[in-house]
Amino acid sequence: MTEQTPVKPESCAEESVAIPSQTIVRLRHLLAGGDRHAAGSIQLIGLSALRTELGDRWGSVKARVHDQTERLLVRHMGPSDVWLRADEANYLVVFATLDRQAGELVSGRIVAELHRLMLGSADTSRIAVRSIVTEIDGHLVVEEKSLDQLMASLLQQSAASPPSITEVGEGRPVGATVASELEAFRPDICFRPVFDVSHKVLSTYVCHPDGATKRLLGALSTDEMRYEEHMFEADVEVLRRSVEIYGELYQNSFRYMQNVTVGFSTLSVGRYRREYISVCHEIPVHLRPFMVFVLHGVPPGVPYGRVAEITTVLKSYCRAILVLIDDGTPNLAAFAQAGVRGLGVTIQPGEPETRAANRINSLGAHVRRHGMLFFVDGIRTAAMLRVAGDAGASYVAGPLIGGEIDVPEHMKHVTERELIQRSAKLTRRR
């Protein structure tokens, strides 16, 4: 191995990329421990681009940048993975089992999330993903590509390998993945944008378990006890992480409305409710006016007393409480009397548009009659967007509005026409 071997990057930077000598020394030391740290892939996570974007602010926020970077590393690393701070601008990450592509994806996600937290947005075309590889002559070199290039490559592979057979990017059978992950359930979160119909703006984000977590919860749907336990764990993670992320964004003068989903079972079982409320106590006072709890999984005929009990314990920690239903006829009078601010309905994937339109129109009229806000989730087409608007929906969400992201973005003004144009593009791609 050489102490410093430059290599021209594949795409991002015009300058050569070199491995600092001190990083080489630390890498050698890290890998000298034996098979426990055998590397499936080795990545360099750099802060240089972020430091450039922050400019004069770097000196005052540098400590917070490193603290947030290390929190993200802890969150995304597996139990056998290791990382260290190689120097002022780089972290060295050794993935024990992930191949190079999977390691690059995790690293890219960490860098993108860090940029969103510190800058409010992430330009994926400028985010570099760097892998350490060994050439035939034994030299260590860094190969660099943009996160955009990496995602494009993944999409091409996904088209050739149907997700119904394997997990995209992992090459493992879905059934085996579910079985193994249930043994060590580690919920994760994501955010989705919500469209404010009246003000024509994306200024609200709903935080909920990510797709992988929902898939695992779905696998437990027939085991009520385990399902409730894991749902509680997911709800706590959603609350804790969303508050942590908002805390970072708030310090960077970033404001938005944050909707946090929570299951009815979590707030109905005494021991779960007590622990969940103890986490609510940790919400900073200055963030509470921006927090909205979205209660889901509520039984259609739930009595007023149960709803009132839940709203009473939550109202001190938020701006409002909403209820999201999947189907059925809810007890609107009980919700309104208990102080629920709004009620929403979910359009299920594959649901006939005629049936969905009938549900939206019927429920929307009743919700507004009781003085509550009406919102619709699961919007996938221009037709359903128009139906929701005509039914008086104040807020809408779904794939048409925006997909899952790691961190909320800056407020964006957008019209229904622009959303419909987006729908047309998505349809053509399918």
Side-chain angles (χ1 to χ4, degrees):
M1 296 183 184
T2 57
E3 290 299 305
Q4 203 173 64
T5 307
V7 59
K8 289 185 178 180
E10 298 178 7
S11 61
C12 288
E14 295 180 359
E15 300 179 357
S16 296
V17 179
I19 306 176
S21 58
Q22 62 267 40
T23 303
I24 293 288
V25 172
R26 293 191 177 196
L27 178 59
R28 286 173 174 168
H29 178 73
L30 186 65
L31 298 179
D35 292 339
R36 186 171 67 89
H37 291 150
S41 66
I42 306 173
Q43 305 292 317
L44 273 177
I45 291 181
L47 305 179
S48 298
L50 182 59
R51 181 170 57 186
T52 300
E53 291 289 338
L54 288 169
D56 295 339
R57 294 177 54 208
W58 172 256
S60 61
V61 301
K62 178 174 61 177
R64 197 160 83 242
V65 170
H66 283 292
D67 179 66
Q68 188 60 48
T69 302
E70 291 169 12
R71 288 185 184 182
L72 291 171
L73 286 166
V74 169
R75 176 187 171 196
H76 288 284
M77 297 298 99
S80 300
D81 302 333
V82 291
W83 59 269
L84 57 85
R85 184 169 163 180
D87 53 41
E88 181 67 16
N90 291 282
Y91 285 80
L92 184 66
V93 182
V94 180
F95 294 100
T97 58
L98 298 183
D99 61 18
R100 176 177 170 181
Q101 184 187 57
E104 287 174 337
L105 286 171
V106 173
S107 299
R109 182 177 182 182
I110 290 172
V111 177
E113 187 168 341
L114 183 63
H115 276 237
R116 290 193 186 100
L117 284 171
M118 302 309 301
L119 301 173
S121 64
D123 184 351
T124 55
S125 66
R126 298 178 61 187
I127 290 177
V129 180
R130 296 183 291 168
S131 301
I132 298 178
V133 298
T134 305
E135 293 189 329
I136 295 176
D137 60 3
H139 288 182
L140 281 182
V141 296
V142 175
E143 292 186 357
E144 179 176 308
K145 63 184 70 173
S146 73
L147 184 55
D148 271 0
Q149 280 188 323
L150 188 61
M151 295 305 297
S153 175
L154 180 63
L155 287 173
Q156 289 178 349
Q157 293 182 29
S158 299
S161 177
S164 60
I165 298 175
T166 60
E167 288 297 311
V168 174
E170 294 187 11
R172 292 179 294 170
V174 172
T177 301
V178 172
S180 62
E181 291 182 354
L182 283 177
E183 295 302 318
F185 181 69
R186 294 192 303 170
D188 209 345
I189 72 165
C190 65
F191 295 84
R192 287 189 297 123
V194 177
F195 179 55
D196 184 332
V197 178
S198 299
H199 298 94
K200 315 300 181 192
V201 66
L202 300 176
S203 59
T204 298
Y205 283 83
V206 56
C207 181
H208 57 79
D210 70 356
T213 302
K214 287 182 177 179
R215 177 171 53 81
L216 294 177
L217 288 170
L220 288 173
S221 59
T222 57
D223 186 338
E224 185 174 349
M225 185 172 297
R226 290 184 69 198
Y227 175 80
E228 289 183 353
E229 179 181 351
H230 286 323
M231 176 60 75
F232 161 72
E233 294 173 11
D235 287 339
V236 169
E237 182 69 10
V238 165
L239 180 58
R240 280 188 170 140
R241 285 289 299 141
S242 63
V243 171
E244 178 184 334
I245 288 172
Y246 204 154
E248 288 290 336
L249 295 173
Y250 190 93
Q251 291 185 51
N252 289 284
S253 302
F254 189 0
R255 305 290 186 269
Y256 62 98
M257 292 304 302
Q258 180 158 280
N259 292 2
V260 176
T261 63
V262 56
F264 181 79
S265 60
T266 291
L267 297 173
S268 297
V269 179
R271 61 190 179 93
Y272 293 154
R273 180 172 64 248
R274 286 190 294 273
E275 187 166 344
Y276 190 84
I277 296 303
S278 72
V279 179
C280 289
H281 282 307
E282 301 172 10
I283 303 174
V285 174
H286 62 272
L287 291 184
R288 295 179 184 181
F290 301 96
M291 302 290 293
V292 174
F293 287 104
V294 181
L295 188 62
H296 64 89
V298 182
V302 64
Y304 160 76
R306 296 292 298 279
V307 180
E309 181 182 10
I310 290 173
T311 57
T312 298
V313 298
L314 286 180
K315 65 183 180 181
S316 300
Y317 309 104
C318 65
R319 184 186 188 93
I321 299 166
L322 310 177
V323 171
L324 180 65
I325 63 171
D326 292 327
D327 208 342
T329 303
N331 188 343
L332 295 179
F335 290 148
Q337 188 178 359
V340 171
R341 183 69 184 90
L343 189 136
V345 62
T346 301
I347 303 174
Q348 301 297 337
E351 181 178 4
E353 289 196 346
T354 301
R355 180 179 184 275
N358 289 337
R359 287 203 300 130
I360 291 171
N361 287 321
S362 176
L363 187 62
H366 291 304
V367 169
R368 297 196 312 277
R369 191 175 300 125
H370 283 84
M372 294 185 288
L373 295 174
F374 179 52
F375 62 98
V376 181
D377 198 0
I379 297 289
R380 292 173 176 81
T381 67
M384 283 298 97
L385 177 62
R386 295 191 186 96
V387 168
D390 293 343
S394 299
Y395 300 93
V396 295
L400 175 64
I401 311 303
E404 297 181 352
I405 57 177
D406 293 330
V407 180
E409 299 175 348
H410 278 300
M411 181 179 70
K412 179 181 179 181
H413 288 277
V414 62
T415 65
E416 285 92 340
R417 180 178 180 180
E418 290 170 325
L419 291 173
I420 291 171
Q421 290 173 342
R422 171 189 173 89
S423 173
K425 290 179 181 179
L426 291 175
T427 301
R428 285 197 296 269
R429 288 175 186 172
R430 285 196 289 266

